[in-house]
Amino acid sequence: MNLEKLGLKEGLLYEIIATTLNKKGKNITFNSAPMGIRVLENGFIEISPYLSTQTCNNLKENGLISLNLVENVFFYAITALKLENRLNFSGKLNEKLYESKEFNKENIESNLKKNDITKSFSIPYLKDSWGVIFCVAIEEKPIIKKDVLGSSNTAKFLLKPLLVEKIKESHKLINRAENIAIEIIILATRLKVAKKLNNKVMFEKILKEINKKIEYIKRFCKNEDVFKTIKHVQDFINIINN
Ligand SMILES: Cc1cc2nc3c(=O)[nH]c(=O)nc-3n(C[C@H](O)[C@H](O)[C@H](O)COP(=O)(O)O)c2cc1C
């Protein structure tokens, strides 16, 4: 599969937005979350979601995933922080954000549970992406990740690309403010974990780091999407603080 068409190089790590299917009986919803991926030498892709994420559950259940390359940093904020669930407009968001691509079962060799993959199936993707890699998980290994918040259980999935699509031309270079905005979103997801673990020291430390980065960005940034992202992170902090 030609990943180079999207400029992705073997051995490198990228941040993408992973869209998966959440099937509960006949009720199917789509889920998106930023995730890191690594492009392997054989053209396969590795992704390591924490066991606590919906992305991990969905991959275990049906193995279907699209890796979306988006230009707007605000997408990372809304898909990482799930504020829309709390504000209760996820249904509408679903309809507006996604489209689906049809596939046949013949090109699937998945070792994962695939009972619910029928003869033809579809994989959702984000309409606003400039590039999408449609994949199926063919292998899963448990791993333990260690970071400042302690060790956490993660699953490493090996993804086989089924189709690589360039939806539109993108010459987007992530600039300094957007880079810092993405770091702020990652910190906000850690803040959620510190809160869950009731680790007040860590919570305050992460909060301080977020506020420092926000103050720094404000000094030079003129990018509306970055400001929207910061506002979203601040709303998120207010919600988890109450
Ligand atoms: C740039 C970026 C990269 C991320 N990479 C990962 C990752 O590789 N694995 C992971 O479990 N979470 C990662 N996260 C955090 C998840 O996106 C976040 O926990 C999200 O709420 C999970 O959503 P889900 O439960 O719908 O899957 C990342 C967040 C950002 C902003």
Side-chain angles (χ1 to χ4, degrees):
M1 229 20 92
N2 191 0
L3 296 172
E4 292 210 343
K5 179 158 118 182
L6 302 178
L8 302 187
K9 301 220 164 60
E10 283 176 5
L12 297 190
L13 295 169
Y14 297 94
E15 311 289 5
I16 53 81
I17 298 186
T19 297
T20 51
L21 289 105
N22 186 6
K23 296 185 182 182
K24 286 203 188 94
K26 282 192 178 146
N27 189 17
I28 302 179
T29 52
F30 304 149
N31 188 73
S32 290
M35 293 278 153
I37 56 161
R38 182 192 292 277
V39 178
L40 304 179
E41 277 152 28
N42 51 11
F44 283 65
I45 295 170
E46 252 175 22
I47 189 166
S48 306
Y50 288 111
L51 293 192
S52 57
T53 61
Q54 191 61 47
T55 303
C56 188
N57 285 342
N58 295 350
L59 272 177
K60 279 176 187 283
E61 280 298 315
N62 55 65
L64 303 177
I65 184 166
S66 67
L67 311 175
N68 299 270
L69 311 184
V70 296
E71 290 185 342
N72 191 339
V73 71
F74 184 56
F75 262 104
Y76 286 85
I78 53 172
T79 56
L81 303 180
K82 315 289 177 198
L83 215 51
E84 75 277 11
N85 293 341
R86 294 167 193 264
L87 300 177
N88 222 358
F89 58 78
S90 59
K92 283 188 212 131
L93 196 74
N94 253 356
E95 286 162 31
K96 277 196 291 190
L97 285 181
Y98 298 103
E99 259 171 31
S100 285
K101 189 100 196 164
E102 291 286 324
F103 290 89
N104 277 318
K105 195 180 177 179
E106 276 77 72
N107 39 17
I108 302 290
E109 296 162 29
S110 177
N111 298 330
L112 296 177
K113 183 178 160 190
K114 52 183 177 182
N115 309 345
D116 45 1
I117 298 183
T118 45
K119 203 167 169 39
S120 66
F121 58 93
S122 55
I123 305 181
Y125 66 98
L126 288 172
K127 269 197 238 178
D128 249 34
S129 308
W130 62 267
V132 188
I133 308 160
F134 296 92
C135 302
V136 62
I138 55 163
E139 206 183 294
E140 178 201 338
K141 282 189 209 140
I143 50 164
I144 296 181
K145 247 191 205 170
K146 286 200 175 113
D147 63 20
V148 284
L149 289 166
S151 50
S152 345
N153 295 320
T154 310
K156 189 180 273 183
F157 291 89
L158 188 63
L159 305 179
K160 175 184 174 179
L162 301 174
L163 177 71
V164 180
E165 274 211 335
K166 189 187 239 177
I167 295 171
K168 56 187 174 215
E169 206 56 59
S170 174
H171 300 289
K172 172 102 178 125
L173 297 171
I174 296 280
N175 63 42
R176 187 162 177 76
E178 288 167 334
N179 243 329
I180 300 171
I182 288 179
E183 279 175 34
I184 290 173
I185 305 164
I186 294 176
L187 286 170
T189 64
R190 294 203 177 137
L191 200 63
K192 188 168 71 176
V193 179
K195 178 83 179 181
K196 217 165 141 189
L197 296 172
N198 211 9
N199 188 336
K200 293 196 177 94
V201 176
M202 191 53 73
F203 187 92
E204 288 307 321
K205 196 173 160 208
I206 298 171
L207 191 57
K208 209 168 147 194
E209 212 176 318
I210 291 176
N211 287 331
K212 209 167 110 191
K213 285 188 192 296
I214 290 178
E215 284 317 307
Y216 175 65
I217 275 191
K218 280 183 177 166
R219 274 192 252 147
F220 66 91
C221 176
K222 294 188 176 66
N223 181 328
E224 267 313 305
D225 291 325
V226 169
F227 287 132
K228 261 165 70 181
T229 299
I230 290 173
K231 165 82 172 57
H232 202 75
V233 170
Q234 285 170 328
D235 288 346
F236 172 80
I237 293 170
N238 286 338
I239 287 174
I240 64 168
N241 250 337
N242 290 320

